[in-house]
Amino acid sequence: MHGPIDGTRRRALGALGAAALAPMVPVFAPAARAQPLPDRYTLRAAPARLSILGPEHPQTDLWVYNGRVPGPVLRVRQGERLRVEVVNDLPEATTVHWHGLRLPNAMDGVPHLTQPPIAAAGGRFTYEFVCPDAGTYWYHPHLRGNVQVEMGLAGALIVEEAERLAVERDVLWVLDDWRMLRDGQVAQDFASMRDAAHDGRIGNTVTINGTLPDEFAVEAGERIRLRLLNVANARIFALRFQGHTPTVIAQDGMPCEPYVPDGGRIVLGPGMRADVILDGTGKPGERHRVIDDFFAGQAYEVVTLAYDPRKRRRVSSAGPMPRLAPNPVSEPDLVAAERHRIVFTGGMMGMMGGMPGMGGVWAINGRSAGESDHSHAPLLTLAHGRSHVLELVNDTAWWHPIHLHGHSFRIVSRNGARESRQPLVDTSLLPPRERAEIAFVADNPGDWMFHCHVLEHQASGMMATIRVA
Ligand code: C2O
Ligand code: CU
């Protein structure tokens, strides 16, 4: 089926064959800065035929926003109002969800829960909301996400801080993973039971900003804010920048105390983001590899950092680590918090033990809610304005990035041990058979989705609604 990714980036083409050598593509334009921002955007979702594998390969039939993949980067200033008119020129209904944004429930983009689906072939819907938090967010459909996101519908939303961070470049890498056939088309095996019951739809082709990357040009001495965003359906990335020590300054958009992750590995499950400071500590002309080694024995090169042989900057990378101002998120009161237990079951192996019922592959507290279930009866009702601790218990043999809409939460413990950093995130990656406690103030009223962001798991039951009232 889908061959494992191993060896180098070139072999990452898998199904396409090793002959695929992508030419250098200048996908990494420096971010435009200090320009006036539009006060209204239009996103048109439509089929398009684009080259993502390079000129030696056939073009790929995709579904995209505004004719490109990933969709355009939407920028807004913190505290300002974003208005986006969505036009649906797809052959099926869609919605747009604003992942990680603490916005009013009616703007959350969940079909049958917060809005009717935007009809196929010409339907429109205008999203309008204030962005309270600065950082790196993203947008994607919330209807048949396992199909629509895989077909190319995803883009970044950057909420700019009031104060510009002192870096030479602000760079975005949208990481995606595709299951490509030899003819350059996206495999249409979306209903695969194997994917649903195992680790989701892992592809054979990894792209950065919609192309097969070759080199990323770096200048010795420069300091880069690198925004990493994983829009893959299922692939978890663990990125190592050989010869470098990137420092994480924000997770899921939210600023954190700067830290160097264990082993220099930046682990990003689907939906997750990390903003890192990448200092050009190499010498002119040097080349260093960026490796993804999340799956043991299947490490491959994502891209090469290629230092300009001639240029050297005035070592701005030697300065103190820049810090982002915190976002206005309320801190939970762990002592007064109400406690709730949420158990995830199912998947291959789980099913052999008799789980789950109701025809789903996965279940949350024994309930399996697929996308055709429009009842959205809440799994939990959380008292509005109070602090809550949810104990998440992964009683399965698989990894799950668990995402809550409309709130950011702190991961306060793992397997009963207090977390030292207690990161503020919107998605918590739960390893097999592990537990985590997350805490937050339920300060955003409404019915919010709570689901696994492996989109094949979400589609096969690992989804629920949490009511804040
Ligand atoms: Cu990024 Cu409910 O999703
Ligand atoms: Cu999952």
Side-chain angles (χ1 to χ4, degrees), residues 6-301:
D6 61 347
T8 65
R9 174 197 63 76
R10 291 189 167 82
R11 274 193 285 148
L13 269 169
L16 286 164
L21 295 183
M24 198 174 122
V25 187
V27 284
F28 305 103
R33 273 273 164 199
Q35 287 172 357
L37 299 174
D39 63 356
R40 175 178 286 273
Y41 291 92
T42 301
L43 283 180
R44 178 173 168 268
R49 175 160 263 249
L50 296 175
S51 175
I52 60 176
L53 302 173
E56 296 94 13
H57 289 280
Q59 294 192 319
T60 307
D61 289 311
L62 300 169
W63 288 355
V64 298
Y65 294 113
N66 296 5
R68 46 188 144 135
V69 66
V73 179
L74 307 184
R75 285 182 179 267
V76 61
R77 286 200 187 85
Q78 182 174 16
E80 291 188 356
R81 186 170 288 272
L82 181 69
R83 289 183 199 82
V84 184
E85 179 171 39
V86 174
V87 181
N88 181 13
D89 284 331
L90 298 169
E92 63 182 49
T94 192
T95 62
V96 178
H97 167 60
W98 309 93
H99 183 122
L101 268 286
R102 299 188 301 130
L103 40 61
N105 191 250
M107 294 291 113
D108 198 40
V110 178
H112 309 290
L113 181 67
T114 68
Q115 68 171 94
I118 308 173
R124 287 167 188 257
F125 188 91
T126 299
Y127 294 91
E128 183 168 340
F129 51 86
V130 170
C131 299
D133 304 313
T136 307
Y137 303 93
W138 66 297
Y139 58 91
H140 63 81
H142 221 284
L143 186 50
R144 299 220 310 146
N146 62 313
V147 177
Q148 295 190 6
V149 175
E150 174 73 0
M151 288 299 288
L153 292 166
L157 167 59
I158 292 182
V159 184
E160 296 186 345
E161 294 88 17
E163 204 147 321
R164 191 191 180 290
L165 203 65
V167 291
E168 265 88 41
R169 280 197 289 161
D170 187 325
V171 175
L172 169 69
W173 285 6
V174 178
L175 298 157
D176 203 352
D177 171 47
W178 311 77
R179 187 176 294 168
M180 290 289 186
L181 301 174
R182 197 171 287 278
D183 63 1
Q185 299 305 321
V186 177
Q188 298 292 304
D189 55 342
F190 295 111
S192 158
M193 191 60 186
R194 186 184 191 284
D195 289 341
H198 291 74
D199 47 19
R201 181 185 172 98
I202 304 293
N204 51 26
T205 303
V206 168
T207 57
I208 298 180
N209 298 344
T211 51
L212 274 182
D214 188 13
E215 294 187 341
F216 176 63
V218 183
E219 286 180 19
E222 74 171 324
R223 171 163 273 178
I224 299 169
R225 175 185 191 165
L226 179 58
R227 302 172 188 259
L228 300 167
L229 158 60
N230 179 1
V231 305
N233 281 32
R235 179 177 293 280
I236 302 169
F237 291 90
L239 300 180
R240 278 188 303 116
F241 292 69
Q242 292 187 336
H244 293 73
T245 38
T247 299
V248 178
I249 58 166
Q251 283 178 258
D252 290 356
M254 294 290 166
C256 60
E257 195 60 28
Y259 72 97
V260 176
D262 287 347
R265 267 168 124 232
I266 299 162
V267 179
L268 287 178
M272 294 166 64
R273 290 87 68 212
D275 287 38
V276 305
I277 295 294
L278 178 64
D279 282 333
T281 48
K283 295 190 181 63
E286 280 184 3
R287 297 172 69 81
H288 297 270
R289 309 200 305 165
V290 180
I291 304 289
D292 169 15
D293 64 1
F294 180 78
F295 290 107
Q298 297 184 9
Y300 65 98
E301 180 182 330

Side-chain angles (χ1 to χ4, degrees), residues 193-200 345-356 360-362 395-398 400 433 457 460:
M193 191 60 186
R194 186 184 191 284
D195 289 341
H198 291 74
D199 47 19
T345 50
M348 195 58 206
M349 272 111 105
M351 291 199 288
M352 292 195 282
M355 272 301 299
V361 175
W362 306 94
D395 199 7
T396 83
W398 307 94
H400 304 288
R433 309 283 175 209
H457 294 177
S460 54

Side-chain angles (χ1 to χ4, degrees), residues 394-418:
N394 180 2
D395 199 7
T396 83
W398 307 94
W399 290 78
H400 304 288
I402 302 298
H403 173 48
L404 173 64
H405 287 203
H407 298 77
S408 287
F409 52 81
R410 285 204 184 274
I411 303 174
V412 295
S413 80
R414 286 189 182 274
N415 300 315
R418 187 182 179 278

